């Protein structure tokens, strides 16, 4: 199983930017799909972005397209979520997750990092 540790969350003003990091360790993960989810108080956890380690193909939720970008650094075993033009509705705990190709289930999760966007 993969161990995931998120970092980078903090309080930021609306319109600002943050970069979240997710460091992965524990096994060979060159074929995994890595994702970011978020959960705001009183809401269900929602998908934000996903990327493949091998090919670097990424997908983004419609709500963050044009503002967020997901990337990876294979040498550092780390994925990133660059968040620009932040809005108060982006306030949430952001989680990093991993799944095997062909599976819809994310089997590894980090503990999350808090992002708060003030208006």
């Amino acid at each position: 199983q993969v161990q995931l540790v998120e970092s980078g969350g903090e309080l930021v003003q609306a319109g600002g930017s943050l970069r979240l990091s997710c460091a992965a360790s524990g096994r060979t993960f060159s074929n995994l799909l890595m994702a970011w989810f978020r959960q705001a108080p009183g809401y269900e956890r929602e998908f934000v972005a996903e990327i493949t380690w091998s090919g670097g193909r990424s997908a983004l939720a419609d709500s963050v397209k044009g503002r967020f970008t997901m990337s990876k650094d294979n040498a550092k075993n780390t994925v990133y979520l660059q968040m620009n033009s932040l809005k108060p509705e982006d306030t949430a705990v952001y989680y990093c997750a991993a799944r095997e190709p062909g599976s819809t289930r994310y089997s590894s999760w980090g503990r999350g990092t808090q992002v708060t966007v003030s208006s």
Side-chain angles (χ1 to χ4, degrees), residues 12-18 38 63-68 82-90 117:
V12 64
Q13 288 190 334
S17 298
L18 280 178
R38 66 186 181 185
S63 59
V64 304
K65 282 181 180 176
R67 300 189 298 122
F68 291 11
Q82 178 66 44
M83 305 186 295
N84 299 327
S85 302
L86 283 161
K87 305 175 181 179
E89 52 263 43
D90 294 318
V117 184

Side-chain angles (χ1 to χ4, degrees), residues 28-68:
T28 301
F29 34 75
S30 60
N31 61 336
L32 290 177
L33 292 95
M34 305 295 296
W36 287 96
F37 286 78
R38 66 186 181 185
Q39 187 168 20
Y43 290 83
E44 293 186 354
R45 189 174 296 184
E46 66 171 351
F47 170 82
V48 175
E50 185 177 70
I51 195 167
T52 58
W53 272 113
S54 56
R57 290 174 297 151
S58 62
L60 293 166
D62 288 343
S63 59
V64 304
K65 282 181 180 176
R67 300 189 298 122
F68 291 11

Side-chain angles (χ1 to χ4, degrees), residues 1-8 20-30 32-37 45 49-51 53 70-73 76-80 93-100 105-113:
Q1 194 169 3
V2 180
Q3 285 76 51
L4 305 172
V5 179
E6 305 95 334
S7 61
L20 304 183
S21 300
C22 172
S25 63
R27 53 151 280 189
T28 301
F29 34 75
S30 60
L32 290 177
L33 292 95
M34 305 295 296
W36 287 96
F37 286 78
R45 189 174 296 184
E50 185 177 70
I51 195 167
W53 272 113
M70 188 172 182
S71 62
K72 63 185 180 69
D73 184 330
K76 295 182 178 180
N77 297 332
T78 300
V79 296
Y80 304 97
V93 177
Y94 284 71
Y95 298 91
C96 181
R99 66 179 174 94
E100 301 284 349
R105 175 179 170 269
Y106 290 89
S107 55
S108 298
W109 291 85
R111 300 184 69 175
T113 186

